Amino acid sequence: MAHTDGVADGTEDSGRASLLYDPKARGLFFQAVLIIVVAYLVYSGISNAAGNLARAGIASGFGFFEERAGFEIGQTLIHYTNDSTYFRAFLVGLLNTLMVSALGILFATIIGFVVGLARLSRNYLIRKLATVYVETLRNIPLLLQLLFWYKAVLAVLPNPRETGLEQGTTVLWTLNNRGLYIPRLIPEAGASAILIAVVIAIALWVVIGMWASKRQMKTGQQFPTFLTGLGIFIVLPVLTFFLTGMPFDVEFSALQGFNMSGGTVIRPEFIALLLGLSLYTASFIAEIVRAGILAVAKGQTEAAYALGLSPNHTSRLVIIPQAMRVIIPPLTSQYLNLTKNSSLAVAIGYPDLVAVFGGTVLNQTGQAVEVITITMLVYLTISLLTSAFMNWFNARVALVER
Amino acid sequence: MNYSFLSAVAGVAVAAGLGATAASAATLDDVKAKGFVQCGVSTGLAGFSAPDDAGDWKGIDVDLCRGVAAAIFEDASAVKYSPLSAKERFTALQSGEIDVLSRNTTWTMSRDTELGLNFAGVNYYDGQGFMVRKSLGVNSALQLSGASVCVQTGTTTELNLTDYFKANNMTYNPVVFEKLEEVNAAYDSNRCDVYTTDQSGLYAIRLGLSAPDEHVVLPEVISKEPLGPVVRQGDDQWFNIVKWVHFAMINAEELGVTSENVDEMMDSENPNIQRLLGKEGTFGEAVGLKNDWAYQVIKNVGNYGEVFEANVGESTPLGIARGLNALWTNGGLQYAPPIR
């Protein structure tokens, strides 16, 4: 005690004589030094790389984006031909990555929640099955699982010419080793009315929900918001569909020559990748969900029962909101993992960003530094955006302490 | 967060700095110092570069690397191999990871001029073709509209395929893989109707399918694919060594010098042979080698004809005829400038 007093006295005596001993000034100084060092490292790294590329006679720059790609891509969500630019090819790859990631996150979440709850089931069989699911899938490397699904999906499916279809005869759907063929809806004039109807239905759903919760606050009366909303959501667009005179043309697929033509095709590479990513990530999500629910103290359930809440209400209003606080942060990293793992698509020939842009485009242009940098930045951006969204969601569901 | 970002930036900067040292310096000195030639090869293409039962690499692309090693070290086995996918190959060479890329690589203008690389000759004249199942009943590539086509990413094949289908007003669906084995497996499992790559490759790949007899290579050749070894730009001495090892093998065949008779040929009165084998002149010294460099290549590896016959010729399972790869004196394209 006496010692610290002495030090305090000393600083008091010297006053602000020396900037050298001012912790704030020292802090600022070291920050500045660090920034200068980092800036120099970045500058020398970039200029060194650029200098070396120039000396080795390797073309550099981003001009290649405007050039004609000259290759085809197996699955495109936007219009793309071999006459499109490399930038268009980049977009195609990016959208393919985003699609498989978004659907993978959706399915992984659903399966993960179901399996996580099943692990807590009182039913012995369900509980054990869920345990086997989790322990098997999360302990086998994802790449092997993808290869397994790809071979498994492919091996069991027949060739389109062996499925007994007649040449040129249209079918409602068919599954063969070229993919799952389903009819394609081609919108005609008036189809946008249906889209508007869907938007109106969702808006109505929200308005009813707000009205119902207000009323419940005031009078305590409950209103079946979900069923009403769902009813509007289904009835309104269907009604519009018939009122506008069914403004859709349906294109069926048919066997033409070697392959099916027409319709929409979901390719086996996509199916295998989606299956692999969803099932693998779901096994981790299941554990996160289980942990989250177990983290809610048993007293909470007992208290809810004591207040006379039904088991349904107990889990919906008491357990899950509290479990979500524990679930969401690790869930975010699973979503990020799934998105990044989607780059394993390259092993099974799904044209994702890494396969199309980091593979074909890199090779045809030879501009490895640019292409890899862009690919990394894209994954970084996707991950940061996912993370930002989940943080926002987490802040919303976080326990409000009063 | 901040710290990990900073360290990442520092990491990139350091990596970019390291790249500088690797690519410079004379390749021959580096190779002599480490005692072997680092040779980029394919991940396994029978006849060109593939490991045999004993794990030794064999093929005409491999023999070119062995020839370079023999010219430098008098020992054809002083080679280490880096199996590379089509996608990885140029980066591996640019970064200095390998000394020479001898991996059935097509010589094109953009590769020659934009990648900082030099093609040191053509050791196999090839052309792109198509392979299909016999059961499809197809006998011309012009009947392939609508087919699913298996192709390897990062190849000229991928672009030629597009051009060919476009020029003939046909459509196709590409199924693209990075590794040759993945393309093979996909085609073998009937994921695709058509397999396309260089014709020599198709013959080699057909041997590895579960039922080779059920597949047929269509007659159309849709492109020019001159395959040859590649070196980095900016090291003319190394470029000359690789180029002249290849030429020495062709000249040896033309002059009738083989690995069997090369010792007797040392006594030949033919001045062309004397210059080839280093009895006359100092051609080896001019490229930083000993004067018997070509003797070592022929003695340890063989002349071009021997290499061709041993790896892809009529007596091998591939059974490829010399065709375009015959010497110019026999109506082919293999022609080497004279050693004088």
Side-chain angles (χ1 to χ4, degrees):
Chain A
M1 198 64 194
H3 180 70
T4 37
D5 280 343
V7 169
D9 287 342
T11 42
E12 226 165 77
D13 284 345
S14 53
R16 43 195 128 87
S18 171
L19 215 55
L20 204 63
Y21 295 109
D22 183 356
K24 203 167 179 187
R26 268 160 60 147
L28 282 174
F29 174 74
F30 283 119
Q31 291 281 346
V33 168
L34 184 67
I35 288 173
I36 291 170
V37 168
V38 167
Y40 174 74
L41 278 175
V42 172
Y43 166 77
S44 65
I46 291 173
S47 66
N48 199 344
N52 279 319
L53 288 176
R55 198 167 334 123
I58 300 169
S60 58
F62 294 93
F64 69 90
F65 263 139
E66 298 299 319
E67 288 165 26
R68 174 178 176 265
F71 61 91
E72 294 283 349
I73 301 175
Q75 174 189 304
T76 58
L77 291 176
I78 51 174
H79 180 72
Y80 173 88
T81 68
N82 57 63
D83 286 326
S84 304
T85 60
Y86 281 125
F87 184 69
R88 195 87 181 161
F90 164 74
L91 286 183
V92 169
L94 176 61
L95 286 174
N96 283 343
T97 289
L98 288 179
M99 180 170 75
V100 81
S101 306
L103 288 175
I105 285 175
L106 178 72
F107 288 127
T109 310
I110 295 172
I111 301 168
F113 269 78
V114 169
V115 175
L117 292 173
R119 285 207 69 179
L120 297 170
S121 166
R122 273 189 224 116
N123 183 314
Y124 176 83
L125 191 62
I126 291 179
R127 197 168 63 235
K128 287 298 161 195
L129 277 178
T131 309
V132 168
Y133 172 90
V134 169
E135 294 303 340
T136 318
L137 286 182
R138 75 172 177 171
N139 289 318
I140 297 174
L142 177 57
L143 183 60
L144 291 182
Q145 291 194 33
L146 287 178
L147 291 174
F148 169 79
W149 287 118
Y150 188 48
K151 309 283 174 195
V153 166
L154 269 185
V156 295
L157 295 173
N159 194 280
R161 293 176 304 279
E162 295 161 355
T163 45
L165 297 172
E166 294 283 321
Q167 284 280 351
T169 317
T170 56
V171 285
L172 186 59
W173 68 276
T174 178
L175 181 65
N176 54 49
N177 68 3
R178 304 295 151 81
L180 173 65
Y181 288 79
I182 53 176
R184 187 157 68 119
L185 292 178
I186 304 165
E188 290 173 343
S192 53
I194 295 174
L195 197 72
I196 294 168
V198 171
V199 173
I200 291 174
I202 292 173
L204 275 176
W205 194 337
V206 173
V207 168
I208 289 174
M210 275 158 50
W211 168 79
S213 65
K214 220 181 211 168
R215 195 181 71 150
Q216 194 180 347
M217 285 292 183
K218 232 189 236 164
T219 66
Q221 278 179 297
Q222 292 189 356
F223 185 82
T225 313
F226 182 75
L227 286 178
T228 321
L230 195 67
I232 295 173
F233 188 71
I234 292 168
V235 169
L236 206 61
V238 170
L239 210 62
T240 324
F241 175 70
F242 285 109
L243 284 177
T244 50
M246 296 188 268
F248 278 105
D249 204 15
V250 186
E251 185 192 84
F252 294 100
S253 46
L255 184 63
Q256 293 279 357
F258 304 105
N259 267 324
M260 308 296 299
S261 72
T264 300
V265 54
I266 302 168
R267 302 206 173 274
E269 290 82 19
F270 176 75
I271 300 174
L273 184 62
L274 187 58
L275 266 176
L277 286 175
S278 308
L279 294 178
Y280 176 75
T281 313
S283 65
F284 289 93
I285 293 180
E287 285 299 273
I288 291 169
V289 168
R290 188 171 72 103
I293 290 172
L294 289 179
V296 181
K298 198 164 185 290
Q300 295 283 329
T301 319
E302 291 167 352
Y305 286 160
L307 286 173
L309 290 180
S310 70
N312 188 14
H313 275 137
T314 305
S315 55
R316 199 153 60 85
L317 300 173
V318 178
I319 308 294
I320 290 184
Q322 298 190 72
M324 286 308 265
R325 290 182 303 133
V326 184
I327 291 174
I328 286 178
L331 192 62
T332 308
S333 50
Q334 288 306 323
Y335 288 174
L336 298 181
N337 279 346
L338 188 144
T339 310
K340 289 178 285 180
N341 284 340
S342 72
S343 59
L344 288 171
V346 81
I348 55 170
Y350 175 73
D352 79 327
L353 182 68
V354 175
V356 171
F357 192 64
T360 305
V361 172
L362 188 158
N363 242 270
Q364 305 302 359
T365 63
Q367 295 187 261
V369 177
E370 291 87 344
V371 168
I372 295 296
T373 309
I374 292 171
T375 312
M376 290 196 302
L377 286 179
V378 165
Y379 276 97
L380 184 67
T381 311
I382 296 174
S383 292
L384 289 179
L385 287 177
T386 313
S387 184
F389 172 77
M390 291 303 285
N391 286 343
W392 168 81
F393 187 59
N394 189 32
R396 262 192 63 115
V397 300
L399 194 68
V400 185
E401 292 186 18
R402 289 182 248 243
Chain B
M1 171 75 192
N2 270 329
Y3 283 107
S4 59
F5 175 70
L6 291 182
S7 55
V9 169
V12 169
V14 170
L18 285 177
T21 52
S24 54
T27 313
L28 179 63
D29 297 339
D30 288 350
V31 167
K32 278 181 174 166
K34 65 185 173 186
F36 58 87
V37 177
Q38 191 74 43
C39 173
V41 291
S42 75
T43 51
L45 180 65
F48 287 81
S49 48
D52 66 5
D53 303 342
D56 297 324
W57 285 85
K58 291 276 155 65
I60 66 172
D61 285 343
V62 166
D63 279 346
L64 194 107
C65 286
R66 295 178 66 235
V68 173
I72 301 170
F73 300 113
E74 305 174 7
D75 174 10
S77 62
V79 187
K80 288 196 178 170
Y81 299 97
S82 301
L84 300 166
S85 74
K87 190 177 138 179
E88 297 156 351
R89 55 185 161 178
F90 299 121
T91 316
L93 184 59
Q94 288 165 340
S95 67
E97 190 186 324
I98 55 174
D99 301 313
V100 55
L101 176 70
S102 186
R103 188 207 171 280
N104 50 292
T105 300
T106 306
W107 185 350
T108 69
M109 180 167 172
S110 66
R111 285 175 177 178
D112 206 355
T113 57
E114 290 172 21
L115 300 182
L117 305 175
N118 275 334
F119 281 80
V122 178
N123 67 342
Y124 191 94
Y125 288 95
D126 212 337
Q128 184 176 343
F130 297 104
M131 176 163 65
V132 295
R133 287 183 167 70
K134 281 181 182 162
S135 61
L136 285 179
V138 167
N139 50 33
S140 159
L142 292 169
Q143 301 168 327
L144 292 177
S145 191
S148 291
V149 183
C150 275
V151 61
Q152 191 183 11
T153 188
T155 53
T156 47
T157 314
E158 207 179 346
L159 303 183
N160 294 331
L161 170 70
T162 308
D163 291 349
Y164 182 75
F165 274 73
K166 191 179 178 190
N168 290 296
N169 252 328
M170 303 192 296
T171 58
Y172 72 99
N173 184 263
V175 185
V176 184
F177 294 91
E178 189 191 335
K179 296 233 164 20
L180 195 65
E181 306 86 73
E182 289 162 357
V183 194
N184 298 350
Y187 175 74
D188 211 9
S189 68
N190 217 338
R191 171 67 183 89
C192 315
D193 305 301
V194 185
Y195 193 135
T196 182
T197 186
D198 298 342
Q199 271 204 336
S200 61
L202 290 176
Y203 285 111
I205 289 154
R206 188 168 66 167
L207 292 177
L209 296 175
S210 48
D213 294 342
E214 289 173 15
H215 302 268
V216 58
V217 176
L218 297 177
E220 280 88 352
V221 173
I222 66 165
S223 68
K224 290 189 288 188
E225 306 285 344
L227 311 180
V230 198
V231 296
R232 273 183 298 282
Q233 226 167 44
D235 186 348
D236 290 353
Q237 184 190 40
W238 184 248
F239 178 43
N240 283 335
I241 291 172
V242 175
K243 185 164 60 182
W244 280 95
V245 164
H246 172 56
F247 286 153
M249 288 160 86
I250 295 173
N251 277 324
E253 186 187 4
E254 194 181 326
L255 296 169
V257 182
T258 68
S259 57
E260 309 274 309
N261 70 9
V262 65
D263 287 317
E264 298 149 38
M265 285 290 186
M266 287 298 269
D267 305 326
S268 168
E269 294 297 316
N270 185 335
N272 283 315
I273 294 176
Q274 286 187 345
R275 280 193 295 271
L276 173 71
L277 299 181
K279 295 274 281 182
E280 188 195 317
T282 54
F283 300 101
E285 281 172 23
V287 287
L289 300 173
K290 292 190 192 119
N291 281 331
D292 70 343
W293 63 283
Y295 167 82
Q296 296 295 345
V297 173
I298 298 156
K299 178 76 185 167
N300 288 296
V301 182
N303 69 33
Y304 182 78
E306 288 179 280
V307 167
F308 191 98
E309 283 310 321
N311 292 303
V312 296
E314 308 273 14
S315 60
T316 65
L318 285 168
I320 299 174
R322 282 297 286 270
L324 288 177
N325 293 294
L327 288 182
W328 63 287
T329 46
N330 298 332
L333 292 175
Q334 287 296 356
Y335 180 104
I339 295 178
R340 60 159 61 246

